Amino acid sequence: KDCGSYEAATSAYEAAIKLNSTDADVHLQLGHLMKLRGIPSAAADAYYRAVELNPRLGAAHVELAALGIRIEAPYTHD
């Protein structure tokens, strides 16, 4: 992704998700990639999934807000 090999990065992130679909960071990184590729709807989907998996993942909330989507994190008691 960072080298601009977006197609290869897309394949790699999709493979990583198949191996571990509950890793919020992989979804976050896929969202970043989709944003770089100019596909905001796919970026939003990936960021939303990241938040579903980890409601405290601030970076995903920031990215969703930048796309005009606001999600309230559920209250959790520590």
Side-chain angles (χ1 to χ4, degrees), residues 32-55:
H32 292 331
L33 174 62
M34 293 298 114
K35 181 175 77 169
L36 289 170
R37 292 187 71 176
I39 310 171
S41 61
D45 289 344
Y47 292 137
Y48 186 80
R49 182 66 181 136
V51 169
E52 283 183 322
L53 293 168
N54 182 355

Side-chain angles (χ1 to χ4, degrees), residues 2-48:
D2 294 333
C3 296
S5 300
Y6 297 154
E7 301 240 353
T10 300
S11 294
Y13 285 125
E14 288 172 352
I17 288 169
K18 284 182 183 177
L19 291 172
N20 185 2
S21 64
T22 61
D23 185 336
D25 188 61
V26 174
H27 291 277
L28 176 69
Q29 297 306 319
L30 179 61
H32 292 331
L33 174 62
M34 293 298 114
K35 181 175 77 169
L36 289 170
R37 292 187 71 176
I39 310 171
S41 61
D45 289 344
Y47 292 137
Y48 186 80

